Amino acid sequence: HYFIQSNLRSIALWDMAWAEELHPWQALPTSTPYMNEVKEAIHALYKHPEKEIRSKAETWLLQQQNLPISWQAGWTLLQPSQTVEEQYFGAHFIHHRISQCWPSINIEHFQNLLQVLFQKLIEYRKGPTIVRTRLSVAVAAFVLHAMQGPWPGAIGHTIKYLRAQNSVDLALQVLVLIPEEFSSITFTAQSKSVIRCQAKQAVPEVLQLVSECQQGGAGVDPAYKEVSLRVFNSWITFELPVPESAPLVERMFDDIGNPALFDIVVDCLVNFLRQPITISYPDTVWEIIAKLAQLQATLGEAIQNDDMGICQGVCQMLLATTDTYSKLLLNTSRPERISLVSCLITMVLECTGVPGHFPVDENFSDTTLQFWFNFGDDIISEEADHSKRLLTMYSGVFTKLVEVLLRKTMYPSDDAWQSWTDDQRTEFENYRKEVGDTILYIQSVVPDCLTVLIQEYMACKARTCTWQKIEATLFMFRSIAETVYDETSEDEGGCNGTTARIIASVIESLPSLPAHPKVSRTALLLCGAYSEWLRSHPDKLFPAVKVLLSNVNDVTLAPSAVMAFRDLCIECTDVLATEIAVLIEPFRTVYSNPAIKNREKIRLCWSLCTLCSQVPPSDLAKYLGILLSASCANLKELAAKQKVEKSDHSTVKLELGMVNAAFHAVAVPHSAATPLLELLKEVWDPMKCILILWSTDESIIDDLTKCYWHAINTLGPLFDDYIGPLIELLCQCYETHQYSCLLESCAQVFIPSHQYSCLLESCAQVFIPSHQY
C-alpha cells in the first residue's frame, strides 16, 4: 500500500505538477498514479480486513484533503464511473476545500466553481443519497462563505436557480443544511453578523417555499412536506419572524394526526415556542395555546391506547409552552384564557401520571417534574394577593398531583422487578428520588395537599393494601420529613400537626408492617429521616431504635438499618447515650457476621462511638474495649505476618476502618481522651508494621493516613510524642511510593500550627526532590 509509505511526494510528483496547471473546477485524469493511490486508500478504508491498515488509510486521506490537489481529485472522484465510496470522498474533498480553505479560493474562479458545483449537485439528484447529501453540504458551505462578499443574496439566488432546474427537493435540502453548517463552521463574530443579516433578508423567500410545500400546490410533490418542515425547524436558528410564521405554525397542528409527520411537527412547534422573541407577540401565543389545548382529546386517546410516542410528543409541546410563557399564563384575567391555562395544566398532570412504570413502560414522565417546581415558584413569586388566588385556584391540581406521584412511585411486582435490567432499576430509583424532592416542594407550597397522604395511610390501616401502596406511602412521608413539625409548634392546629401525629402512629406500627424487604427498608430509612422529630419524643425514639437494631444483622436490611441508626445517633446523641449499654449489645453479632459488608460494620461502630462521646470518662474505656478489642487483636495478628496475603485485604481495611471510626467519632476534651491514647499505644506498632507490609497498596495506605490524621485531630497535644516517628515513617514510605495521601497527611500535621516546623526540613528533603524535573 503506497499510502502507508513515506515517499508519497515522489509518487505523486507528476500529478502535483499537473494539478498546478489545472483550475480548481477541473478534474485530473482518472488513471494517474496519484488518483490510483487515492482510490486504493479509499478501498482500504472500507474493505481492508486489518484495522491498522484502515486507520492508516483514513489518516492519509485526511492529509490529502488539505492539499490544493484535492480540488481536482474531488472532481475526478465525482465522475459517474467511480464507486459510491469514491464519489462520497470526492464530495467530501470539495466540501472541505470550501468550508475550511475558503480564503485560498481566487475570486476569478468563483463563477466557474459555483457552476460546476451546481452541475454536480443536480447530476446526483437521484442519488446515491450519501453523495447528494455531501454535495448539498458543500453548496450550503459555499453559500455561507460567498454571501459575505462576492455573492450577496446567495440564498435567494440558490432557491431560484434550483427551482428553475425543477429541483425543489435539492433547494429544500440545501436550506436545511445552511443553518447546520452555520453552527459547525468556525466564523468570526463579524462574519456571523453578516451571515445572520443576509439570512434574515432571505427568510421571506424561505418561508414562501415552505408554505407552498405545506399547501401542496400545483407542481409540488407531497413528499416535500416533510423536508419543508425540516427547513422550518432548521431555520429557527435565525429567529423566524413570529407574525409571518404564525400561519405555518397553525397549519402544522393539522398535520399532527399524520404519523409520518408527527415527530418533525413536534420538533418544529417545540423549537418555535422556545424562541424568546415569541414572548413579544402574546396574541399569537394565545392562538397557539388554543390549538394546543385542542390536543387534550388526542392525548387522552393516546394514553388509552398506550401510544407513548404521541404522549411524549404532546408532553414536549406542553412543557415548551409552560416553560416559556409561565408569567403570561398566570397573569391573564380573561375567563376563556384562564380556562385554556387550566386545560394545559391538566394535560401536564396527565403526562406526569401516564400509566406504567418509568422507565420500562414509559420514559418521559420524569421530564414533567421540573415543571411542578417552576409552577410553584411562579405562583409564590407573584404579589401576595394574586399568589393567594392562584394557590386557591390550583390547590386541587396539586392534590391530584400527590395522588398521581404516589401511584408512580409504587414498585412493580417482584417478578416484574426481577425481569428489569440493572440500569432500569437504577433509573427507577433515581426517578423516585426526584419524585420525593417534588413532594417535599409541593408540601412547602401547598401544605394542605398532604391530607392525601394522611388519608392513604389511614386507609391502609383500615383495610388490607398491597405492600407496594404501603411502601409508597411510607416513602412519601419519609420525603417530607424535614418540613414536619412537632404538634406543639406554631402550626399545631394545621396539617403539620396532624402529619406529626400520623408519623407517631407510623413509627408505632413498624413491627406490624408487611414483611417485605422493600417495605422494611423504607420504614427503617423513615426512622432516620425523622431523627430530629424523634429527639423530642423519647417514647417513640427507643421503640424505633429497637426496630433498627433488630435488623442490623439482616443482610438485606443492614444498609438501611445502619444508615438510619447513624442518623439517630447524630441527632439524638445525648438521649441515646443513656442506653448505650443496651444499644451496644448487637454489635458483636454484626461484627462477627461475614455476610454483613465492612461498610455497615464500620458505620455501626462509628455510630456507637458517637454515643461514647457522652458517657462518663470512667466508662469510655469499657465501651471502647467492647467495640475495638477484637479489631486490635486482629491488627496485631495481621501485622505479625511476613508477607502480604490477598485474602487479608478486606480484613485489614475493616480493622483500620474500625480504629479510624473511634478516632473520628469520639469527640471528648483532650483531658478526657486518655482511653483513646491507650488505644493509640495499642495499635501504633501493628499499624506501623502494616504500613510497611502493605506499602504497595495505596488504598490501605490511604486508610492508615486517615487513622493518623483523626488521631492527631482528636488527641491534640497528647499525640505530640508520636509526631516525629510518624513523619519519619511517612517519609520512608514516600521515598518508595509517591502516594498523594502521604503528602496530604504530612501537610495536615503542619497546617494547624507551627510547633512542628523543626520537622519541615527533613520532609522537604524527601518530598521536594521527587517532584523536580
Side-chain angles (χ1 to χ4, degrees):
H1 295 281
Y2 290 120
F3 61 82
I4 299 176
Q5 300 175 11
S6 60
N7 61 342
L8 168 65
R9 184 171 181 80
S10 62
I11 293 172
L13 186 60
W14 181 78
D15 291 327
M16 299 293 184
W18 192 354
E20 292 178 1
E21 301 296 326
L22 296 175
H23 294 297
W25 63 88
Q26 295 175 318
L28 282 170
T30 305
S31 59
T32 64
Y34 179 71
M35 289 310 305
N36 290 336
E37 183 73 6
V38 170
K39 287 187 281 188
E40 184 181 359
I42 295 172
H43 180 80
L45 175 62
Y46 286 100
K47 307 292 185 181
H48 203 284
E50 294 182 21
K51 183 178 180 180
E52 182 181 1
I53 299 297
R54 295 198 302 271
S55 177
K56 289 182 177 180
E58 181 181 23
T59 301
W60 187 84
L61 287 168
L62 291 175
Q63 292 171 349
Q64 302 316 296
Q65 70 184 7
N66 294 314
L67 301 177
I69 197 176
S70 60
W71 275 120
Q72 293 84 3
W75 300 123
T76 302
L77 293 171
L78 278 168
Q79 293 175 359
S81 60
Q82 308 301 320
T83 66
V84 173
E85 292 85 358
E86 291 166 353
Q87 291 170 351
Y88 172 80
F89 258 93
H92 173 74
F93 278 179
I94 300 304
H95 169 253
H96 181 82
R97 296 305 300 177
I98 293 171
S99 63
Q100 304 300 323
C101 308
W102 181 264
S104 66
I105 298 177
N106 191 323
I107 192 66
E108 296 177 359
H109 300 155
F110 173 82
Q111 288 292 345
N112 290 309
L113 275 174
L114 180 60
Q115 182 179 354
V116 175
L117 187 58
F118 273 135
Q119 177 186 336
K120 288 296 180 184
L121 178 61
I122 295 171
E123 182 180 324
Y124 281 94
R125 180 186 178 189
K126 300 297 183 182
T129 302
I130 60 170
V131 181
R132 183 185 66 236
T133 301
R134 204 62 189 165
L135 283 170
S136 298
V137 175
V139 171
F142 195 99
V143 167
L144 287 170
H145 281 289
M147 68 169 61
Q148 301 175 57
W151 196 19
I155 297 173
H157 293 155
T158 299
I159 295 173
K160 291 174 183 176
Y161 176 80
L162 292 175
R163 294 193 70 170
Q165 301 297 317
N166 294 319
S167 300
V168 174
D169 54 337
L170 294 179
L172 292 171
Q173 186 165 23
V174 171
L175 289 174
V176 169
L177 293 168
I178 284 174
E180 295 178 11
E181 279 294 280
F182 176 70
S183 300
S184 62
I185 299 176
T186 302
F187 291 107
T188 65
Q190 182 179 0
S191 294
K192 286 185 176 182
S193 177
V194 172
I195 292 172
R196 284 189 177 277
C197 181
Q198 288 276 316
K200 288 182 178 180
Q201 291 176 15
V203 161
E205 294 171 274
V206 173
L207 291 181
Q208 176 63 31
L209 178 60
V210 171
S211 179
E212 290 178 13
C213 294
Q214 286 276 285
Q215 293 172 2
V220 178
D221 191 328
Y224 295 166
K225 180 175 281 192
E226 189 268 342
V227 186
S228 68
L229 289 171
R230 288 173 54 208
V231 172
F232 183 92
N233 188 42
S234 183
W235 272 70
I236 292 174
T237 299
F238 297 124
E239 293 186 353
L240 295 177
V242 175
E244 292 82 350
S245 304
L248 286 171
V249 170
E250 292 189 22
R251 201 176 298 139
M252 289 177 194
F253 281 95
D254 298 332
D255 293 322
I256 283 182
N258 185 340
L261 299 177
F262 180 79
D263 290 338
I264 185 60
V265 167
V266 169
D267 288 342
C268 287
L269 293 174
V270 167
N271 291 327
F272 182 79
L273 289 167
R274 291 192 182 278
Q275 285 191 119
I277 193 174
T278 56
I279 299 174
S280 303
Y281 299 88
D283 290 338
T284 301
V285 171
W286 280 112
E287 291 174 3
I288 296 174
I289 290 173
K291 288 280 188 180
L292 189 56
Q294 292 175 10
L295 297 178
Q296 188 171 23
T298 302
L299 176 61
E301 184 179 350
I303 291 174
Q304 189 174 8
N305 296 334
D306 199 28
D307 190 338
M308 292 298 108
I310 297 293
C311 294
Q312 184 171 1
V314 174
C315 181
Q316 289 174 341
M317 292 186 285
L318 289 169
L319 295 179
T321 304
T322 54
D323 289 349
T324 310
Y325 314 112
S326 58
K327 292 296 183 182
L328 179 69
L329 297 175
L330 294 178
N331 287 281
T332 182
S333 58
R334 293 167 59 173
E336 68 276 12
R337 290 183 175 179
I338 293 175
S339 178
L340 289 174
V341 176
S342 297
C343 181
L344 292 191
I345 303 303
T346 301
M347 292 171 70
V348 175
L349 182 62
E350 290 182 73
C351 292
T352 302
V354 66
H357 287 91
F358 178 90
V360 177
D361 303 310
E362 55 86 11
N363 61 358
F364 68 90
S365 63
D366 61 321
T367 61
T368 66
L369 297 180
Q370 185 60 46
F371 161 78
W372 298 108
F373 282 90
N374 297 341
F375 187 49
D377 281 344
D378 290 334
I379 288 176
I380 61 179
S381 66
E382 296 290 333
E383 294 183 0
D385 291 342
H386 186 46
S387 177
K388 188 175 180 179
R389 286 194 297 271
L390 290 172
L391 287 173
T392 301
M393 184 185 304
Y394 295 112
S395 61
V397 174
F398 283 109
T399 299
K400 290 180 181 178
L401 177 62
V402 175
E403 296 174 358
V404 164
L405 294 180
L406 180 65
R407 172 172 55 83
K408 292 292 289 184
T409 56
M410 292 184 191
Y411 282 97
S413 66
D414 291 332
D415 290 340
W417 181 256
Q418 291 301 320
S419 69
W420 289 11
T421 65
D422 290 341
D423 288 343
Q424 288 172 334
R425 293 176 194 166
T426 300
E427 284 189 60
F428 180 70
E429 295 292 359
N430 291 337
Y431 171 75
R432 278 167 54 97
K433 291 177 183 177
E434 292 181 24
V435 169
D437 292 339
T438 305
I439 286 291
L440 175 62
Y441 180 77
I442 293 170
Q443 197 271 349
S444 67
V445 176
V446 189
D448 290 344
C449 71
L450 290 180
T451 55
V452 174
L453 290 184
I454 297 172
Q455 292 167 0
E456 289 292 343
Y457 174 74
M458 299 304 293
C460 288
K461 289 190 67 176
R463 63 178 185 271
T464 302
C465 291
T466 63
W467 69 262
Q468 288 96 334
K469 190 167 187 178
I470 294 173
E471 189 281 334
T473 305
L474 294 176
F475 173 79
M476 292 293 197
F477 276 120
R478 173 191 160 203
S479 299
I480 63 169
E482 66 183 65
T483 63
V484 174
Y485 313 123
D486 183 13
E487 59 264 33
T488 60
S489 69
E490 296 178 2
D491 195 34
E492 181 176 356
C495 182
N496 269 300
T498 304
T499 307
R501 288 190 289 274
I502 291 295
I503 294 303
S505 175
V506 170
I507 292 174
E508 288 176 351
S509 66
L510 290 180
S512 61
L513 290 173
H516 192 281
K518 287 185 170 56
V519 176
S520 301
R521 174 180 176 273
T522 302
L524 295 174
L525 292 174
L526 181 142
C527 292
Y530 283 90
S531 57
E532 184 176 353
W533 184 87
L534 287 167
R535 177 184 175 87
S536 304
H537 299 77
D539 58 319
K540 304 296 186 298
L541 171 62
F542 285 102
V545 171
K546 183 178 179 181
V547 172
L548 294 178
L549 292 181
S550 68
N551 288 282
V552 293
N553 204 38
D554 185 304
V555 175
T556 304
L557 299 177
S560 303
V562 171
M563 186 72 75
F565 182 65
R566 185 197 66 172
D567 292 341
L568 291 177
C569 289
I570 293 172
E571 191 63 41
C572 313
T573 308
D574 52 344
V575 180
L576 292 177
T578 60
E579 299 294 331
I580 188 172
V582 177
L583 301 180
I584 210 170
E585 289 179 2
F587 173 76
R588 289 178 177 174
T589 306
V590 174
Y591 175 78
S592 60
N593 186 347
I596 303 298
K597 292 183 178 180
N598 287 356
R599 179 182 59 193
E600 274 62 65
K601 295 178 181 180
I602 294 170
R603 282 178 177 170
L604 183 57
C605 179
W606 187 95
S607 302
L608 292 168
C609 285
T610 300
L611 301 184
C612 288
S613 302
Q614 301 295 319
V615 302
S618 58
D619 293 334
L620 179 57
K622 178 179 70 173
Y623 292 122
L624 287 179
I626 295 174
L627 293 171
L628 296 170
S629 58
S631 295
C632 292
N634 286 341
L635 281 174
K636 291 175 183 177
E637 182 180 340
L638 291 165
K641 295 191 175 184
Q642 299 300 313
K643 62 178 182 178
V644 169
E645 297 179 14
K646 291 184 178 180
S647 58
D648 291 335
H649 187 271
S650 177
T651 305
V652 172
K653 291 185 71 66
L654 169 63
E655 308 308 356
L656 291 176
M658 303 290 276
V659 172
N660 183 46
F663 285 127
H664 185 214
V666 179
V668 295
H670 296 152
S671 58
T674 303
L676 288 173
L677 181 60
E678 294 301 318
L679 173 64
L680 177 64
K681 291 178 181 178
E682 187 172 1
V683 299
W684 177 264
D685 287 335
M687 286 171 60
K688 177 180 178 181
C689 294
I690 288 173
L691 186 145
I692 296 171
L693 183 63
W694 290 83
S695 60
T696 57
D697 191 309
E698 187 173 4
S699 67
I700 287 181
I701 299 302
D702 186 47
D703 290 344
L704 277 163
T705 55
K706 288 177 181 176
C707 288
Y708 291 133
W709 164 238
H710 287 130
I712 293 171
N713 199 42
T714 301
L715 293 173
L718 297 179
F719 197 92
D720 285 356
D721 293 341
Y722 293 88
I723 288 292
L726 174 61
I727 293 295
E728 182 180 354
L729 187 63
L730 296 179
C731 288
Q732 288 176 358
C733 184
Y734 191 83
E735 286 179 334
T736 54
H737 305 285
Q738 283 75 47
Y739 300 139
S740 60
C741 59
L742 295 171
L743 276 172
E744 292 167 3
S745 295
C746 286
Q748 297 292 352
V749 172
F750 298 112
I751 288 173
S753 69
H754 299 288
Q755 60 179 337
Y756 307 124
S757 57
C758 59
L759 302 172
L760 276 173
E761 184 176 351
S762 60
C763 283
Q765 292 175 354
V766 174
F767 293 124
I768 295 178
S770 65
H771 289 86
Q772 291 177 344
Y773 294 89

